[in-house]
């Protein structure tokens, strides 16, 4: 697991350094009445690392403060305070929101990355996860149990935010989208109330995610899997049209096994453009998967075959590094 994942899983907190001697006046009453809540103001040495996000277009955004709750009660306290004092509040986990909504200028940022618990059910069919769990931590935990759940290929992405955006990844044909894995949810609403989502609210959460409140806990489905095929097949750029057309014919006219998942995008390697095809075979029947792999490779001139037999965990980080 990367150092970045370990660094942000928990964060040291020193009130003298992180709150500072002159914290924002808006937060004085919250600070004085809740001395154990981790509040990082702009003078904190941890402020800039904590506010870093994926889309650098918004990297210069300066929130009022970042607050890292360690339990649901603290989330409730922070939400109540912001609503009562008319302070803008944004929630972040992995910080990969495309439009920078997890790092809003002059807002209180509720950084839920320390809500990262994982508990496996006795029947090993579900796990209960904290709303701030990072993909890498979840995949790593499940890997040790011989289990998987649909997830992003990037370990530093927050699982919940990824799932609420639909949750597409290499396991979805076999098991469904990330959002399809959600069985139940605990949410802190705008009045600070903590509730278990009823069927109607759960339906809404699956479509709109955090629009209904702060998701602090989810129960999600998990699935047994100890080996699969996955990786990239790189084709010559000038054959992209032909390869994509042939893939569309296969997907449109044949009964394709649900274990097969293919994604296509363009990339560069060594400065040269090429067609990159993400190939996943989500089954322990590796030989059938290799048959499909060879068929896909036969659609054009292959520059490089990076598909490997692996468990899901090494595949996640193998693809992310490239």
């Amino acid at each position: 697991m990367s150092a970045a994942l370990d660094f942000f899983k928990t964060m040291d907190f020193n009130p003298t350094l992180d709150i500072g001697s002159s914290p924002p006046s808006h937060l004085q009453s919250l600070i004085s009445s809740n001395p154990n809540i981790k509040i990082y103001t702009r003078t904190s040495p941890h402020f800039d690392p904590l506010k870093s996000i994926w889309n650098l277009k918004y990297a210069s955004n300066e929130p009022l403060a970042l607050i890292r709750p360690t339990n649901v009660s603290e989330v409730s306290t922070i939400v109540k305070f912001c609503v009562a004092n008319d302070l803008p509040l944004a929630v972040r986990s992995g910080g990969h929101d495309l439009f920078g909504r997890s790092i809003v200028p002059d807002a209180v940022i509720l950084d839920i990355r320390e809500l990262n618990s994982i508990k496996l059910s006795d029947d090993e069919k579900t796990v209960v996860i904290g709303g701030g769990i990072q993909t890498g931590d979840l995949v790593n935990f499940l890997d040790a149990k011989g289990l998987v759940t649909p997830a992003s290929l990037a370990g530093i992405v927050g699982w919940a935010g990824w799932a609420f955006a639909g949750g597409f990844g290499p396991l979805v044909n076999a098991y469904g989208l990330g959002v399809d894995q959600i069985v139940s949810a605990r949410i802190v609403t705008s009045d600070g109330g903590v509730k278990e989502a009823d069927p109607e609210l759960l339906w809404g959460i699956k479509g709109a995610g955090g629009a209904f409140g702060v998701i602090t806990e989810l129960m999600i489905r998990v699935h047994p899997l100890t080996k699969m095929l996955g990786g990239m097949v790189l084709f010559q750029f000038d054959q992209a049209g032909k390869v994509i057309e042939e893939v569309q014919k296969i997907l449109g006219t044949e009964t394709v096994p649900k274990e097969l998942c293919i994604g296509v995008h363009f990339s560069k390697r060594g400065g040269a453009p090429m067609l990159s095809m993400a190939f996943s075979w989500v089954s322990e029947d590796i030989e059938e998967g290799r048959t499909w792999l060879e068929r896909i490779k036969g659609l054009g001139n292959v520059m490089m075959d990076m598909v490997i037999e692996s468990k899901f965990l090494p595949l996640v980080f193998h693809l992310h590094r490239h």
Side-chain angles (χ1 to χ4, degrees):
M1 189 168 298
S2 72
L5 278 173
D6 291 335
F7 178 71
F8 290 123
K9 194 183 304 181
T10 58
M11 175 63 75
D12 292 337
F13 177 66
N14 182 323
T16 302
L17 292 175
D18 293 313
I19 295 177
S21 58
S22 300
S25 58
H26 310 71
L27 301 178
Q28 291 283 6
S29 61
L30 177 66
I31 293 168
S32 60
S33 58
N34 298 277
N36 294 322
I37 291 182
K38 297 181 177 182
I39 301 175
Y40 301 86
T41 67
R42 291 170 178 170
T43 61
S44 166
H46 296 130
F47 185 80
D48 284 340
L50 282 174
K51 80 179 186 73
S52 62
I53 56 173
W54 172 75
N55 190 342
L56 296 181
K57 177 180 178 181
Y58 303 100
S60 61
N61 286 0
E62 287 286 296
L64 180 67
L66 296 109
I67 306 181
R68 286 174 68 98
T70 58
N71 55 60
V72 176
S73 177
E74 290 182 352
V75 173
S76 176
T77 296
I78 296 161
V79 170
K80 286 179 182 177
F81 178 84
C82 289
V83 171
N85 291 275
D86 199 26
L87 289 174
L89 177 68
V91 182
R92 76 154 291 163
S93 177
H96 284 73
D97 182 79
L98 181 62
F99 303 105
R101 290 171 293 190
S102 56
I103 194 74
V104 178
D106 299 317
V108 171
I109 307 302
L110 188 61
D111 181 342
I112 62 172
R113 281 176 286 183
E114 293 195 33
L115 301 182
N116 56 8
S117 59
I118 312 174
K119 184 178 181 181
L120 180 64
S121 64
D122 291 339
D123 63 7
E124 298 193 347
K125 292 183 178 180
T126 60
V127 288
V128 175
I129 59 174
I133 193 74
Q134 306 292 282
T135 294
D137 291 327
L138 176 58
V139 173
N140 188 60
F141 175 89
L142 294 177
D143 179 78
K145 311 290 185 181
L147 300 168
V148 297
T149 195
S152 163
L153 289 176
I156 57 174
V157 169
W159 191 90
W162 167 84
F164 291 136
F168 183 80
L171 306 183
V172 301
N173 280 10
Y175 305 126
L177 293 167
V179 72
D180 296 327
Q181 312 310 310
I182 298 172
V183 177
S184 65
R186 176 178 291 181
I187 183 172
V188 175
T189 53
S190 60
D191 61 358
V194 180
K195 62 172 61 178
E196 301 293 331
D198 60 24
E200 184 176 14
L201 179 56
L202 185 63
W203 178 83
I205 288 171
K206 287 183 176 183
F212 292 94
V214 183
I215 310 297
T216 59
E217 189 176 272
L218 294 168
M219 178 185 289
I220 63 173
R221 297 182 180 90
V222 296
H223 314 273
L225 185 72
T226 58
K227 60 182 178 179
M228 59 178 288
L229 294 176
M232 307 298 296
V233 179
L234 308 182
F235 292 92
Q236 287 183 198
F237 181 75
D238 60 4
Q239 295 196 334
K242 170 182 175 292
V243 172
I244 292 173
E245 184 176 341
E246 291 301 317
V247 169
Q248 288 177 325
K249 285 181 182 178
I250 293 172
L251 298 179
T253 61
E254 299 185 27
T255 301
V256 177
K258 65 181 179 62
E259 293 83 2
L260 177 65
C261 185
I262 296 173
V264 175
H265 65 277
F266 294 100
S267 62
K268 284 188 176 182
R269 193 170 185 87
M274 57 187 60
L275 175 70
S276 299
M277 184 172 295
F279 178 94
S280 299
W281 176 259
V282 187
S283 168
E284 297 182 2
D285 185 352
I286 299 299
E287 289 310 308
E288 185 180 357
R290 292 194 189 282
T291 299
W292 276 98
L293 175 60
E294 291 305 313
R295 183 173 179 189
I296 295 299
K297 288 166 60 178
L299 300 179
N301 291 337
V302 175
M303 305 294 292
M304 186 176 295
D305 175 4
M306 301 166 65
V307 176
I308 59 173
E309 179 181 336
S310 172
K311 296 193 292 184
F312 185 47
L313 174 64
L315 178 64
V316 168
F317 295 102
H318 172 74
L319 290 181
H320 185 230
R321 284 197 299 270
H322 290 283

